[in-house]
Amino acid sequence: MSTNVELVSSARCFQSSINVYSHDSEELQCKMKFGVILPDQAKESKLPVLYWLSGLTCTEQNFLTKSAAHKAACDNGVIIVCPDTSPRGCNVEGEEDSWDFGTGAGFYLDATEEKWKKHYRMYSYIVKEFPKIISANFPVIPGKQSIFGHSMGGHGAITIALKNPGMFKSLSAFSPISNPINGPWGKKAFTGYLGPNQESWRCYDATELAKNYDGDEIELLVDQGAADPYLKDELLLPNFCNACNNNKKVKLTYREHVGYDHGFYFIATFIEDHIKYHARYLK
């Protein structure tokens, strides 16, 4: 596997470089971009790394430009990396037809349906390929990595961490799609990528994984806006909370915030809390 990357753009923000890179992905069979918040401390020593997974319609740019995470990353001495949310430009029939399926909506799973399975392998990309890209090109401390995300990316962060016990030191999410087998977004994506057999969907559902999790005890922080228009029908957080409460190995801290919705203003308000939370485990 090639781990070569190409610098696409670079800018300064607080005491860090905000860089975008591209590389040829073997898992996805296309060129991918990713963003990096690289604190200046990385010039002197290796740092822990925090993986951010974005939501529907996002690219590597959304977190870099809207999250207000830059100063907190510097203050806490963590590198934050932001992969894209799907393959790009693969010319799969139908991948540009809707905003919640196909391009920008990879759902962090490995597709099994014939049309999608060659390129739409975001689970294997995040778990197998992307960490090797990061470790080969950036001064990261081996084993010191954590993961968080928003909406579809919150779903991705939780499911990936629960399916890979011990891979990450800590886990958190903003407004995660947490029971997709019972929500319209999830049903559409899972039917398209995985086919009609709903039993095959369960291994990518955070609530189902929390019910059955039997690895080392894991803690996670979830922040949710009470005014989020997707909370009731799409995110289904009560189902996830119940699953965690019934499994002593999953220690959930759930915070619901009055007046906040699903967007990046909400994320920017509480992003420092999440970075400090992860830094405690990573240091």
Side-chain angles (χ1 to χ4, degrees):
M1 179 182 71
S2 173
T3 56
N4 296 329
V5 302
E6 179 181 351
L7 182 65
V8 175
S9 65
S10 184
R12 292 288 295 168
C13 187
F14 293 98
Q15 300 303 308
S16 68
S17 296
I18 313 302
N19 298 339
V20 174
Y21 300 88
S22 67
H23 76 104
D24 293 317
S25 169
E26 292 190 5
E27 283 288 351
L28 307 181
Q29 295 292 296
C30 67
K31 187 174 287 292
M32 292 292 286
K33 289 182 180 179
F34 63 93
V36 180
I37 300 176
L38 189 64
D40 289 349
Q41 297 101 300
K43 297 175 182 177
E44 305 296 331
S45 61
K46 292 184 177 181
L47 297 178
V49 61
L50 184 50
Y51 290 82
W52 169 268
L53 304 184
S54 284
L56 289 165
T57 75
C58 291
T59 70
E60 79 288 341
Q61 286 290 339
N62 295 72
F63 186 83
L64 295 182
T65 58
K66 297 179 180 180
S67 68
H70 314 86
K71 187 175 186 300
C74 297
D75 291 345
N76 290 277
V78 295
I79 297 169
I80 302 180
V81 296
C82 317
D84 203 346
T85 55
S86 79
R88 301 275 170 176
C90 296
N91 298 316
V92 179
E93 181 188 4
E95 68 179 352
E96 302 289 346
D97 288 354
S98 58
W99 64 273
D100 55 356
F101 183 76
T103 301
F107 263 86
Y108 303 100
L109 52 74
D110 285 351
T112 55
E113 288 295 280
E114 188 63 36
K115 187 167 69 170
W116 304 97
K117 67 181 183 180
K118 178 181 178 181
H119 297 289
Y120 280 74
R121 297 179 49 81
M122 287 300 294
Y123 174 82
S124 287
Y125 177 69
I126 298 299
V127 172
K128 299 176 183 178
E129 183 176 11
F130 192 54
K132 292 179 181 178
I133 298 293
I134 298 305
S135 63
N137 290 280
F138 302 95
V140 298
I141 302 172
K144 293 284 188 177
Q145 58 185 23
S146 293
I147 191 167
F148 64 156
H150 169 237
S151 193
M152 180 186 70
H155 141 81
I158 294 171
T159 56
I160 286 170
L162 292 179
K163 287 166 70 70
N164 297 274
M167 183 175 180
F168 301 99
K169 296 295 185 183
S170 51
L171 165 66
S172 74
F174 291 87
S175 315
I177 300 173
S178 54
N179 192 200
I181 65 174
N182 289 315
W185 284 339
K187 288 179 179 179
K188 178 178 180 177
F190 287 8
T191 300
Y193 294 134
L194 303 174
N197 180 7
Q198 295 189 14
E199 284 301 311
S200 70
W201 301 0
R202 296 182 185 278
C203 66
Y204 293 112
D205 185 285
T207 296
E208 294 296 317
L209 291 169
K211 286 178 184 177
N212 299 299
Y213 179 78
D214 194 33
D216 293 337
E217 183 177 287
I218 188 168
E219 296 188 22
L220 64 151
L221 169 66
V222 172
D223 275 320
Q224 174 63 50
D228 188 330
Y230 306 117
L231 176 56
K232 180 181 178 182
D233 296 326
E234 294 284 10
L235 308 183
L236 304 175
L237 260 299
N239 298 349
F240 179 68
C241 291
N242 288 337
C244 293
N245 291 338
N246 289 323
N247 187 339
K248 294 181 179 179
K249 291 196 170 185
V250 183
K251 305 295 184 181
L252 170 65
T253 299
Y254 175 73
R255 310 189 305 185
E256 193 164 298
H257 305 276
V258 174
Y260 289 91
D261 62 15
H262 195 72
F264 267 88
Y265 292 127
F266 168 55
I267 294 171
T269 303
F270 298 101
I271 193 68
E272 185 176 3
D273 288 356
H274 282 245
I275 292 173
K276 287 181 176 178
Y277 166 81
H278 289 292
R280 291 200 302 270
Y281 291 90
L282 291 169
K283 295 298 178 66

